[in-house]
Amino acid sequence: MAEAAPASPWWAGRMAAAFGAPFLWLVCLIYFIQGFRSFVWTAVSYQMKDIMKLSPSTSQFLVSAAFFPWSIKPIYGIVSDCIPIKQRKRVPYLIISSGLSLFPWLIIGLSEHLRSSSNLFTLMLIVQNLGSAMADVVIDAMIAEAVRSAGSEFAGDLQSLSWSSMAVGGIFGSLLGGYALSNLPINAIYIIFSALPLFQLVTCVFVKESSKGFDSTIDNAAHDHADDQNIDSAFAGQGSGESFKYVSTRRRKGARKKNKRRTLSKRSEGHEKHNKSVNLYSSLKSAFISLCTAFKQPAILRPMAWFFISNSAVPNISTVMFYYQTEVLHLEASFLGTARVIGWFSLMLGTYIYNRYLKHKKLRNILMFAHLGLAIITVLDILLVSRLHIQYGIADKYMVLWGSALADAINQFKMMPFLILSGQLCPPGIEGTLFALFMSINNLSSTLGSFLGAALTSALNISSVQFDNLALGLTVQLMGTLLPIGFLFLIPRDVTGLTS
């Protein structure tokens, strides 16, 4: 009896053994590209401010509208979930999403007219985000399925891998984005970035799904070739013992049978089309009922309600702060890229701290301290805008760096339990739909917070040359950040950051 292979002591080895290297590669690639989007979105911010000459409130509104496709992710989940299980193929959706992510950036880079029109520019951003959101839904559904089949001990590992990949992409994107803005024309940045969705598209074409994840097309082609050889040899063996005198008789009988088969096949095609439409309707109905049944459970509904309130109640005025940092503080693009790099490192640090020390703590306490920490970050922004830090000899750059670092780390303490809890609550068969619904709640509430921030900016008459009321706007943001603490009763008392 052969000895069982010892378990790999390395984390990467355990992950590869559990999920397969091709699947892990695809997860890392897609999340790396999601993070590397900071390379091109830095250019988008400067495009709106310097070339289109848009006000802070208008820029905030257009960016919020551009990210709306992330708020309707359940639609993509329904499409990927409602195909019969044995015929489920998610890779084609990744191919479609890669194309939607690729062509808008390429068109923006090649068309000067499109880059000068705010409406057309925003439309292209919406299409691009549609592709990115679709890819995110599909890969999240694959992660949920993989975790369910591999075991709960891997619940945090895949999320950590995906967030770490996104952080690495964000680090490189932020570093190179600041350099590119200083040394390249802005249209070249869009064209260069389009190479990554193209690489994702090519990668998706050359992988195939299997029950364990993915197989390379080379392995599948070899398997198909072996099957073809077996079929050919079977036909060859069958024909070797036949006598020539029976050939013409077999042909006449075969012709009559072929005519019968044609008639039957026409009838069967109609039945198959009818059955497919009925099956699709049944799948959609079943998915909708399962989705409603699952979402009505208090263990799901109450936490999702809290996360919705925690984002939508906070007016997001990050675009206004970007205008303030560049127009008043005169911070360069390279420095802002460095600040984002520190933020991405903090995201990785926050992921490690959460998995190492916080995931067994009560979720109410984690979320309460996270919002208290975010409130402290807003106070630092108020001090920055009020210029009170100057009398203590603290430079503007240090205030921005510390604020960026702490904000990303603290936000991760809030996002990690949300992602893990969402993945564990997904019932079999509708992983893509329900997980996408969870994420859409988070994205929609964030979008509403951004629209609220745009409205607040407009109401306070904040413009690219007028920031007198910015401190007041940040005070309103501070109050909104503290408000969700009063709704923590929606989170079950004994739920931890690891399991529900």
Side-chain angles (χ1 to χ4, degrees), residues 452-473:
L452 182 61
L456 177 64
T457 302
S458 178
L460 294 177
N461 295 318
I462 299 174
S463 66
S464 58
V465 295
Q466 180 72 20
F467 296 95
D468 292 342
N469 292 326
L470 181 54
L472 177 59

Side-chain angles (χ1 to χ4, degrees), residues 105-124:
W105 293 124
L106 196 58
I107 295 172
I108 290 173
L110 296 175
S111 174
E112 183 176 356
H113 171 69
L114 194 147
R115 292 195 303 274
S116 60
S117 171
S118 60
N119 293 331
L120 293 176
F121 187 71
T122 304
L123 178 61
M124 288 293 101

Side-chain angles (χ1 to χ4, degrees), residues 73-74 77-78 80-81 90 137 141 429-437:
K73 290 170 66 174
I78 289 174
S80 64
D81 277 335
R90 297 194 191 270
V137 168
I430 58 170
E431 298 94 343
T433 307
L434 190 58
F435 193 87
L437 179 60

Side-chain angles (χ1 to χ4, degrees), residues 295-333:
F295 197 74
K296 286 180 180 178
Q297 298 177 14
I300 296 177
L301 181 59
R302 291 167 62 91
M304 292 304 115
W306 186 88
F307 281 106
F308 182 85
I309 294 172
S310 69
N311 289 325
S312 60
V314 183
N316 183 349
I317 55 176
S318 58
T319 301
V320 183
M321 290 302 297
F322 167 75
Y323 274 69
Y324 181 80
Q325 291 168 0
T326 54
E327 296 296 325
V328 177
L329 303 183
H330 303 292
L331 300 179
E332 299 177 351

